[in-house]
Amino acid sequence: MLGPSEDRFTSATLREADRIRALEEYRIIGSPADPDLDRIVKLAARVCRVPMAALFIVGRDRVHVKSQYGAELGDLPRHERICTYINSQDALFCVPDTAADPHLAGSAIVRKSPGIRFYAGVPLVAPSGHKIGAICVFDPKPWSKFCSKDRRALEDVAALVMERLEMRRVHAASDDGDLRFERIASTSPNAIVCADAHGGITFWNKSAEAMMGYSAHEVLGQPVSFVFPDRLRRTQTAKLTRAVRKTAADRSAPRAGFIVRHRDGTELELEMTLSVTRDHDAGFGAVLRDISIARQGEHRLYARAELDPLTGLPNRCRFLAAVRQLSTNGSGTLFQLDLSGFKDINDSLGHGAGDQLLSQAAARLSTLTAAKAKVSRFGADEFAVYWPDLSASEASNKAENLLSLFDLPFLVDAEVVYLGVNIGIARCPDDGTNAEELTANANLALERAKATRRRGYEFFKPEMRQVVIARRTIESELRQALAASQFELFYQPQVILNDASIIGAEALLRWRHPTRGLLAPGAFLSHLEKGPLAADVGNWVLRTACKQAALLRTHHPNFRVAVNLFGAQFDAGDLMSRVEDALLTYKLPPEALELEITENIMLRGEHAIVVPLREMLSRGISIAFDDYGTGFASLNLLKRFPVSRLKIDRSFVRDVCADEEDAAIVQAIIYLGRCFKLNVTAEGIETEEQAETLRMLGCTEGQGYLYAEPLSAAALANYLCRNDARTVA
C-alpha cells in the first residue's frame, strides 16, 4: 500500500504523463518555423508596447522557444526558475519587477542577457485542460502598471495562438487515420467537418453545430455543398474540389474562403483549413473559422498595436507607414515636436496629471488632421506631424502654427500649466526620400532646437549630421579609453590658507589619448557626462582615488581625497554600496573621503539624491557643493540637501581683488557657510594677493596653481614628502 507522499508523487507523475500526451497531439516541438505564429508573437509585443515577446512550449525536460520577437532566447531546462513559474500559473500572470520577485530574481534570463525585469504571460491550455506552454511579453525595464486593456489584449493574443495550434493538432491527427482524427476533432473548440471521397459529410462536431445551426443528424450524409447558398453552390463546390486535390498533393493544409448558409438563412463568411486523412484517397477534414468574428478580434488587436492607448493617435509604427506611402508620391514635411517642461509638471503634479496633459496636447494637434496632416504620438512627450506638399515658406508658417497651439495654458487638475514646444523639421525629398531618413534628420533638427531655446523650431541642415558623427566618434573613443585604461587621475593639493599646510587633494580626471596626448576634462567631460559610460567611469575614479588616498595615508595619516561624482552614479541606484565597497577594499576611513556634487546633480530629482547623500554624511563622509554660486542655486537647496562644504568657483576668485561684485559674492558665500556651519574652500587661487583677500574675507581653505598644479599620483607623493612640514599632522 502506498503512503501519502508516494501517492502524491504517483498522482503527479500520471498527470504529467497525461499532459505530455496532450502536448504530443500538436507535434510542435522540433517542427519548422511557423510564419503565423511568428506574426502573432510580434503582435503580442506591439499590443503590449514591450520590446520582447516569446511563445514557450513546456516539454518533458525543457521549455522550448517556439517563436520569439526582439529577443535571442534559447531553450531552457524545466528546472530553470522562470520555467517553473510558467508551469505553475493557471491564468494571466504579471510580474512588474522580476528583480524584486523572490521566485524569479535568481533566474538566468533575469540576471544575465536579456535582463528581463517586467514579465507577463498567459498560459496556453489544451481542450483537455492541460497547460502546454505560454505566450509571454518582456521588458528589460520594470513596469509599474499593466492595465486591464493590456491584460485583455494579451489574452486575445493567447486565443489567436491556441486557434492556430488547434489547427495544427487537427491537421496532425489527419495523418493517423479517421478514428484518431475524429476523436481529436470531437474535443476541439474549433468547428470541424469531415467528408468522404465523394464529398458526403461524415463528421460534424458540436462547435460546427453552434456555428451554423445544423445538428449533426441533419447534415450527416449530405454533400458539403448542402451548406453553400444556391447561387454559389456550383462555383464553390468546384473551388473546394480543387483545394482538396491540392491538399492531397502537397499536404500543405491550404486555407480557402467560402460563403455558407446558416440554418436561419443568414450567410456566414468562413475560412476552411483543409487536411486529407490517410484512410481516404480524397476524403478530407476542414477546420472552419468565422472570418467576420476573427477579423473583429484581429482588427481590435492590430488597432491597439498601431494606436497610442493614451491619446488615441497613431503610434510611431503606423505613422511611419503612412509617411512611407506619402513620401513616395511627392513632397512633404515632417515636424517632430518635443514638449518643453513636461517632465517638471509630470514630476510635480504626478503621472495622472501628466497623462491629462498629453491627452490635451494630442487633442490640440488632432485639429490639424482636417488640413490633411498626419499626426502621431512618437512616445513619452514627443509628437510628430507630416504635411504633404509644403514649400519651405509654408513649412515655416506651419511651424509657427504648431507653436501657437501651445501658447494657451492647459488646465490639469484645477492647475493652470504652460508648456513650451521645440520642433525639428525635415523636408521631403530635400532632406530624405524615405520615412526613416526624414525621421532621423527631423530628430537632429529637434535636438538643435532643444539645445538653443525652450520654444522654437529648426530646419534640418547637413552639418547637424556631422555633429552627431563627431559625438558618436568620441563616444566610441571613450569606450575604448575605459577598456584600454587610458584614463588617469591627477590630484590638485588643497591647503589651509593661513599657513598653506596641506590637508588633501581633489582627484581630477585626465585622458591620455593615443594620438592627441594628455587631455584635460574640457575636451571630453561633457560628452562623458551625457553618455552611457558616466557611471562606469565615475566608479573607476572613486575606487582609484580611494586606493591612492589609502597609500598616501601610510605616511600622511590625515590626508583627505575629494572625488567628483557624475549624476549617472546616482541614477544607477547603487552609489552608497559602491562607496562602502571602495572604503572597505582599501581600508580607508570615511573621514578621508569627500564627494563633490554640482547643482545640476541636485536638480535631477530630490529623493534620488538626498537619501544617499544623507546616509553618506551620517557615516562621516564629507559632501561638497561644487561651483556654488555659478548656477541658480537657492538658499533652499542648502536647507534641503545634506552638504558639509561649499566650494567657491574660480570665476569669482579670479577677479576677487579688483571686482567689487565678485568680492561681494565671495563674501556672501563665506557668510552662508558660517551660518549653515559649512566649511568653505576657494578654487583657482593663483596669486598671493588672491589668497590674502580670501583670508581677509574669512575663507579658511583653498586650492589653485599658487600652491600646485594638478599632479600625477607619483608627483603628488613626492610633493607631500617635500612638504612634510606643511602637511597637517
Side-chain angles (χ1 to χ4, degrees), residues 282-293:
F284 67 91
V287 180
L288 309 181
R289 184 172 182 244
D290 189 328
I291 293 177
S292 60
I293 295 175

Side-chain angles (χ1 to χ4, degrees), residues 275-409:
S275 57
V276 175
T277 62
R278 285 180 176 173
D279 290 354
H280 288 294
D281 289 333
F284 67 91
V287 180
L288 309 181
R289 184 172 182 244
D290 189 328
I291 293 177
S292 60
I293 295 175
R295 280 176 180 165
Q296 288 176 12
E298 290 194 21
H299 284 175
R300 184 174 65 253
L301 286 171
Y302 277 101
R304 178 175 172 80
E306 295 183 346
L307 295 177
D308 173 57
L310 176 63
T311 64
L313 290 176
N315 62 16
R316 185 187 187 98
C317 181
R318 182 169 173 179
F319 177 80
L320 292 180
V323 172
R324 286 187 197 101
Q325 183 176 4
L326 290 169
S327 60
T328 58
N329 297 328
S331 61
T333 304
L334 180 64
F335 302 80
Q336 203 162 324
L337 293 76
D338 179 86
L339 306 184
S340 304
F342 172 78
K343 185 179 184 302
D344 293 338
I345 296 168
N346 199 45
D347 290 344
S348 60
L349 299 182
H351 293 293
D355 287 350
Q356 289 183 50
L357 193 54
L358 290 171
S359 296
Q360 291 181 38
R364 293 187 186 184
L365 289 170
S366 295
T367 61
L368 304 173
T369 56
K372 298 182 180 179
K374 299 291 183 183
V375 182
S376 167
R377 183 186 176 201
F378 256 31
D381 57 353
E382 287 193 6
F383 293 83
V385 179
Y386 187 83
W387 247 299
D389 303 322
L390 292 182
S391 66
S393 60
E394 289 173 330
S396 294
N397 292 335
K398 295 297 185 185
E400 292 290 349
N401 292 342
L402 288 170
L403 292 176
S404 67
L405 286 176
F406 294 86
D407 285 343
L408 293 174

Side-chain angles (χ1 to χ4, degrees), residues 308-611:
D308 173 57
L310 176 63
T311 64
L313 290 176
N315 62 16
R316 185 187 187 98
C317 181
R318 182 169 173 179
F319 177 80
L320 292 180
V323 172
R324 286 187 197 101
Q325 183 176 4
L326 290 169
S327 60
T328 58
N329 297 328
S331 61
T333 304
L334 180 64
F335 302 80
Q336 203 162 324
L337 293 76
D338 179 86
L339 306 184
S340 304
F342 172 78
K343 185 179 184 302
D344 293 338
I345 296 168
N346 199 45
D347 290 344
S348 60
L349 299 182
H351 293 293
D355 287 350
Q356 289 183 50
L357 193 54
L358 290 171
S359 296
Q360 291 181 38
R364 293 187 186 184
L365 289 170
S366 295
T367 61
L368 304 173
T369 56
K372 298 182 180 179
K374 299 291 183 183
V375 182
S376 167
R377 183 186 176 201
F378 256 31
D381 57 353
E382 287 193 6
F383 293 83
V385 179
Y386 187 83
W387 247 299
D389 303 322
L390 292 182
S391 66
S393 60
E394 289 173 330
S396 294
N397 292 335
K398 295 297 185 185
E400 292 290 349
N401 292 342
L402 288 170
L403 292 176
S404 67
L405 286 176
F406 294 86
D407 285 343
L408 293 174
F410 294 84
L411 186 64
V412 178
D413 286 343
E415 293 269 355
V416 175
V417 298
Y418 287 86
L419 281 177
V421 63
N422 285 302
I423 306 171
I425 305 170
R427 300 180 63 239
C428 174
D430 297 351
D431 302 327
T433 56
N434 59 63
E436 288 71 21
E437 192 175 6
L438 284 171
T439 303
N441 290 339
N443 188 62
L444 292 176
L446 174 61
E447 292 302 316
R448 175 68 62 85
K450 288 165 62 176
T452 55
R453 56 177 71 86
R454 176 181 165 87
R455 178 188 184 278
Y457 61 88
E458 289 279 346
F459 281 88
F460 169 76
K461 298 180 181 63
E463 54 265 31
M464 293 177 182
R465 192 180 295 114
Q466 299 307 313
V467 172
V468 173
I469 292 172
R471 184 177 71 239
R472 287 176 181 166
T473 299
I474 195 168
E475 286 177 357
S476 175
E477 289 183 335
L478 286 169
R479 193 174 295 278
Q480 293 172 20
L482 181 60
S485 302
Q486 295 171 7
F487 290 120
E488 298 178 14
L489 288 187
F490 277 55
Y491 300 85
Q492 184 166 51
Q494 297 172 322
V495 304
I496 293 177
L497 294 182
N498 279 339
D499 58 7
S501 55
I502 302 163
I503 52 175
E506 179 182 358
L508 301 169
L509 186 62
R510 299 290 187 266
W511 179 7
R512 197 167 292 281
H513 195 282
T515 60
R516 297 165 62 192
L518 188 66
L519 301 181
F524 65 89
L525 196 60
S526 63
H527 296 285
L528 181 59
E529 287 176 323
K530 297 173 185 175
L533 296 177
D536 291 337
V537 174
N539 293 331
W540 175 85
V541 170
L542 173 66
R543 294 184 66 83
T544 304
C546 287
K547 180 181 180 180
Q548 185 62 31
L551 291 172
L552 292 172
R553 283 175 66 89
T554 58
H555 299 292
H556 313 283
N558 290 313
F559 181 84
R560 178 190 73 209
V561 68
V563 175
N564 293 277
L565 295 177
F566 291 109
Q569 291 172 272
F570 288 92
D571 296 340
D574 61 353
L575 179 58
M576 187 65 233
S577 63
R578 295 276 186 177
V579 171
E580 285 182 327
D581 182 63
L583 294 176
L584 185 64
T585 299
Y586 301 112
K587 298 180 174 59
L588 193 68
E591 62 270 17
L593 177 63
E594 181 167 274
L595 300 175
E596 298 191 9
I597 59 172
T598 63
E599 180 184 343
N600 286 338
I601 291 178
M602 289 186 173
L603 297 177
R604 292 173 83 93
E606 185 166 331
H607 181 77
I609 307 299
V610 168
V611 171

Side-chain angles (χ1 to χ4, degrees), residues 33-241:
D34 186 328
D36 282 342
L37 291 177
D38 293 341
R39 176 179 60 85
I40 295 170
V41 170
K42 181 179 180 180
L43 178 63
R46 290 176 59 188
V47 298
C48 294
R49 307 182 310 284
V50 295
M52 296 179 283
L55 171 58
F56 293 114
I57 300 297
V58 181
R60 191 184 306 274
D61 302 311
R62 303 186 67 77
V63 172
H64 303 267
V65 183
K66 180 57 186 172
S67 179
Q68 58 186 310
Y69 173 77
E72 295 182 0
L73 301 172
D75 291 352
L76 301 165
R78 277 281 297 270
H79 61 75
E80 218 285 333
R81 291 189 183 188
I82 207 159
C83 302
T84 306
Y85 191 89
I86 290 173
N87 216 30
S88 67
Q89 304 303 307
D90 294 320
L92 184 146
F93 52 90
C94 176
V95 183
D97 187 357
T98 57
D101 187 287
H103 302 292
L104 297 178
S107 179
I109 60 176
V110 173
R111 292 183 290 105
K112 302 175 183 177
S113 179
I116 291 169
R117 294 291 296 276
F118 168 74
Y119 177 44
V122 176
L124 302 175
V125 182
S128 61
H130 296 101
K131 289 175 286 186
I132 60 172
I135 178 75
C136 301
V137 293
F138 320 107
D139 198 319
K141 297 180 293 186
W143 276 41
S144 60
K145 185 179 180 182
F146 193 62
C147 69
S148 59
K149 289 183 179 179
D150 296 321
R151 293 169 180 269
R152 188 162 57 251
L154 190 55
E155 288 171 339
D156 286 346
V157 171
L160 286 179
V161 172
M162 280 312 302
E163 183 178 83
R164 176 61 188 161
L165 292 181
E166 275 301 300
M167 290 182 182
R168 288 183 62 96
R169 185 170 79 111
V170 173
H171 184 60
S174 68
D175 288 339
D176 297 333
D178 283 352
L179 291 177
R180 178 172 170 79
F181 179 87
E182 292 186 6
R183 180 184 66 78
I184 287 178
S186 66
T187 65
S188 177
N190 293 335
I192 297 175
V193 176
C194 297
D196 59 23
H198 304 289
I201 297 172
T202 60
F203 178 82
W204 185 272
N205 73 354
K206 294 291 184 182
S207 297
E209 290 184 1
M211 177 180 286
M212 287 185 279
Y214 297 102
S215 67
H217 176 74
E218 291 176 281
V219 297
L220 290 178
Q222 296 282 357
V224 173
S225 60
F226 170 78
V227 296
F228 293 158
D230 293 342
R231 72 183 193 286
L232 299 174
R233 184 164 289 127
R234 178 177 296 179
T235 56
Q236 290 198 154
T237 299
K239 179 180 179 180
L240 178 60
T241 301

